[in-house]
Amino acid sequence: MSLKDQFGKDVLLTGWGHSRFGKLTDETLESLIVQVATEAIGNAGIEPGQIDEIYLGQFNSGMMPLAFPSSLALQVSDQLANVPSTRVENACASGSAAFQQGTKSLLAGTAKTVLVIGAEKMTQAGADVVGAALLGADYDMAGKASSTGFTGLFAEVAKHYGKRYGAGSTLGSLGDVLGTIAAKNHRNGVDNPYAQLRKDLGEDFCRTVSDKNPMVADPLRRTDCSPVSDGAAAVVLSVAPTGGATAPVRLAGFGQANDFFPAERRDPTEFAATRASWQRALGMAGVGLEELDFAEVHDCFTIAELLMYEAMGLTERGQGARALEEGWVFKDGKLPVNVSGGLKAKGHPVGATGVSQHVIAAMQLTGTAGDMQLASPRRAAVQNMGGVGIANYVSVLEAV
């Protein structure tokens, strides 16, 4: 069973575009959207007039004055005049939410070709503005003052995890385990030309609190946190090959699950809805975890990646560190995780992240990932999350 078996039609990624991530002072939200959309349409080998619908993933939440950006993609070409275009928002999962809305348009038959864009401009806003915007994605902290912002929320998750399970590892303390994840992703980010942070910091640096790596919210250090970023990515979804620059990539399955918003209604270390989204996507694709060649997951903080090993079923609960001890999630392991550097090194322009993950996966599956390239991967998973395990999306992609 796969998506095609269930719905009777293919959903193909036929073209894509990706900007550099980082502090892009010379770019605007509009210029980033136009750049990646133009690249994706060209890569797909189609004309702009062949686009039936557009979905734009963007969080914003007050980080930019412009709160109505859905038509910015029409700036690509006059051929896009009157094309339906919708902004989609679901916190840090806005990009994947847009991707799934585009997918559903194809499956519903209301479109044959959809342009999906994820974009965010964050660095022009002050730290207090960004912090308040991100806290708007938390039921308990929205509108409240916080010196640690969203880092503090995930620090609490880490504390709960440590209290319940300890480090669960021969790698050392929980902080050491998280430092190993940070070091892995920084090392991977060196090979990603789009990444914001392209420096191999090493495990000693990532595990150690110092002037250059201060504690942000115990036990999370600066190297445990994804950076504030600008950037965009785009993908063309089609029901048939379009004769683009590369072979298309097939969407084999997808899943979404939302958890309760109030923290008191969630187990802080279980990420139950995240687990459900994985099960739904793998179930639709008709594959098991052992049939994946790599995964791009939402490591907004290193503790999130550790919990993802458990939510996807790579290890039992409380044993996520085993994936590191056994070398499974490293670039040469049985399931490389975040070969792109993840949000940790690549950057996290919130609305762009989910689309970026799909683009990076498509590049891997078509052998066009450059220095990031793995050896002939055939199947991948993408996982994107909004809030502390609240809005969860997983896609399973296959080479055609």
Side-chain angles (χ1 to χ4, degrees):
M1 179 65 72
S2 67
L3 180 150
K4 186 175 183 180
D5 296 327
Q6 184 170 336
F7 294 99
K9 63 176 68 176
D10 256 330
V11 173
L12 301 175
L13 288 69
T14 53
W16 42 82
H18 202 297
S19 79
R20 186 170 60 85
F21 283 5
K23 187 174 184 178
L24 309 180
T25 55
D26 294 332
E27 300 285 356
T28 64
L29 183 68
E30 179 179 333
S31 69
L32 287 167
I33 288 171
V34 170
Q35 174 195 333
V36 298
T38 301
E39 186 179 347
I41 292 169
N43 184 253
I46 63 174
E47 294 296 322
Q50 293 174 258
I51 300 294
D52 298 314
E53 293 183 23
I54 300 169
Y55 288 96
L56 170 67
Q58 189 219 19
F59 180 50
N60 193 355
S61 193
M63 290 184 288
M64 283 196 66
L66 180 64
F68 183 46
S70 56
S71 283
L72 289 180
L74 273 59
Q75 301 295 86
V76 169
S77 170
D78 290 347
Q79 294 180 41
L80 291 174
N82 302 320
V83 171
S85 186
T86 304
R87 174 187 172 224
V88 180
E89 186 279 310
N90 219 355
C92 297
S94 296
S96 285
F99 181 91
Q100 284 201 12
Q101 289 303 115
T103 294
K104 291 173 182 178
S105 287
L106 297 184
L107 295 177
T110 59
K112 293 183 178 179
T113 306
V114 174
L115 175 64
V116 178
I117 306 164
E120 207 78 63
K121 274 286 289 180
M122 304 173 69
T123 65
Q124 77 289 335
D128 56 337
V129 174
V130 173
L134 296 177
L135 280 177
D138 185 76
Y139 179 89
D140 301 288
M141 289 302 297
K144 297 180 181 179
S146 171
S147 61
T148 56
F150 234 81
T151 308
L153 300 179
F154 274 87
E156 287 302 309
V157 171
K159 288 176 182 176
H160 282 289
Y161 187 94
K163 184 176 180 180
R164 182 175 297 181
Y165 300 116
S169 170
T170 60
L171 296 173
S173 67
L174 178 59
D176 289 338
V177 171
L178 300 182
T180 296
I181 293 173
K184 170 182 72 72
N185 292 347
H186 275 288
R187 186 161 55 249
N188 288 345
V190 172
D191 295 328
N192 185 351
Y194 304 119
Q196 180 170 354
L197 304 174
R198 299 185 67 188
K199 186 176 182 180
D200 185 354
L201 299 176
E203 286 199 12
D204 287 345
F205 181 84
C206 292
R207 289 179 168 197
T208 306
V209 176
S210 65
D211 290 343
K212 293 185 177 181
N213 189 27
M215 190 71 74
V216 180
D218 190 21
L220 302 182
R221 299 144 299 207
R222 180 178 291 165
T223 50
D224 294 304
C225 311
S226 58
V228 173
S229 317
D230 306 326
V235 63
V236 174
L237 301 179
S238 309
V239 294
T242 57
T246 69
V249 169
R250 176 177 290 114
L251 177 65
F254 63 90
Q256 179 191 357
N258 274 52
D259 211 334
F260 295 104
F261 209 6
E264 65 183 14
R265 299 202 64 182
R266 289 177 276 118
D267 182 322
T269 67
E270 184 176 0
F271 279 41
T274 311
R275 186 181 300 269
S277 64
W278 274 98
Q279 292 170 345
R280 290 170 183 173
L282 292 170
M284 183 184 291
V287 300
L289 198 67
E290 69 281 357
E291 295 173 84
L292 300 180
D293 295 308
F294 69 94
E296 288 288 323
V297 309
H298 193 98
D299 62 322
C300 50
F301 301 92
T302 51
I303 183 62
E305 179 167 328
L306 182 67
L307 283 166
M308 211 50 55
Y309 302 156
E310 301 174 15
M312 71 170 76
L314 187 58
T315 76
E316 296 296 323
R317 290 181 63 185
Q319 298 179 24
R322 187 183 172 201
L324 298 161
E325 292 172 320
E326 303 290 341
W328 297 340
V329 294
F330 291 91
K331 193 169 184 178
D332 58 353
K334 70 176 185 179
L335 184 64
V337 172
N338 287 335
V339 174
S340 69
L343 287 59
K344 176 77 265 299
K346 183 180 62 178
H348 184 27
V350 178
T353 286
V355 182
S356 167
Q357 291 174 310
H358 285 85
V359 169
I360 294 294
M363 292 171 65
Q364 286 283 359
L365 293 170
T366 54
T368 58
D371 291 340
M372 293 183 285
Q373 187 65 52
L374 295 166
S376 303
R378 301 296 300 169
R379 187 177 290 114
V382 165
Q383 179 268 331
N384 188 200
M385 176 174 71
V388 186
I390 304 297
N392 302 271
Y393 296 82
V394 176
S395 299
V396 178
L397 306 178
E398 297 177 340
V400 175

